[in-house]
Amino acid sequence: MISRNMVAAMATIVIGAVYLNFAYQLRVSSLADAFGPQGLPRVYGWLTLGLGVVLLVQSVLAVRALDAEERVAFFREEWAGQGRRILRAAGFLLIATAYLLLLPYLGYLLSLALLIAGITLYMGAAPSWRTVVVPLVGAVLLWLIFVKLLGVDMPAASVLSRLS
């Protein structure tokens, strides 16, 4: 049987391998130093892949150390109630997908406010004035940090640009 840590380890190995694949495809500029622009992404990729391997080996050894009776009890408890948790994670994924789909149409500021409000309500907050004010203030603060302070361009609302 496979434990949750084994699943997480395998996912980490896949993520690390995909990340490494993209890191090795980065082009080197003639202006790059010896480390180059692909240096840090390669280090991150190898660290992610290595940590996944370490977690997988550790998980396999932990399961092998159990006797047959303990192993059966471990796996029965390991996966109990995971269906609900997986559905909850799928809900977060749907909210994030909705954010990404709305972003080009509503722009960064409004889409982010809706994302914060959606996550807040999904986490169980009772609808009140706070579930309106906090997402708006949070979106404005993040917009100020990224757009004004760091100079990162964020998507503008295409709906508003069509109206003007």
Side-chain angles (χ1 to χ4, degrees):
M1 295 275 305
I2 296 176
S3 70
R4 291 183 296 159
N5 280 347
M6 290 176 193
V7 172
M10 289 183 272
T12 303
I13 290 169
V14 168
I15 290 168
V18 169
Y19 195 88
L20 273 174
N21 178 44
F22 287 118
Y24 276 97
Q25 291 179 19
L26 289 172
R27 291 184 291 168
V28 179
S29 166
S30 60
L31 300 175
D33 59 1
F35 194 63
Q38 74 277 31
L40 204 53
R42 286 181 182 180
V43 170
Y44 290 154
W46 282 112
L47 284 174
T48 303
L49 187 74
L51 289 173
V53 170
V54 168
L55 180 58
L56 184 61
V57 169
Q58 181 185 26
S59 301
V60 168
L61 292 176
V63 170
R64 287 185 58 142
L66 302 173
D67 65 21
E69 188 176 304
E70 289 174 329
R71 200 175 294 164
V72 169
F74 171 75
F75 283 115
R76 187 178 318 116
E77 292 172 13
E78 179 78 357
W79 291 100
Q82 290 305 307
R84 173 175 270 155
R85 291 182 179 146
I86 290 170
L87 288 175
R88 184 153 177 82
F92 283 113
L93 184 60
L94 285 173
I95 293 170
T97 303
Y99 165 75
L100 291 174
L101 292 173
L102 291 173
L103 187 61
Y105 301 103
L106 301 179
Y108 177 73
L109 198 58
L110 186 55
S111 297
L112 186 59
L114 290 173
L115 173 70
I116 296 170
I119 293 293
T120 303
L121 293 171
Y122 188 71
M123 291 293 295
S128 70
W129 64 271
R130 290 182 193 148
T131 55
V132 174
V133 173
V134 170
L136 290 174
V137 170
V140 168
L141 285 176
L142 287 170
W143 180 82
L144 287 171
I145 290 169
F146 283 104
V147 176
K148 296 299 181 187
L149 184 65
L150 299 175
V152 177
D153 289 332
M154 293 296 175
S158 64
V159 172
L160 296 176
S161 63
R162 289 181 191 163
L163 296 175
S164 57

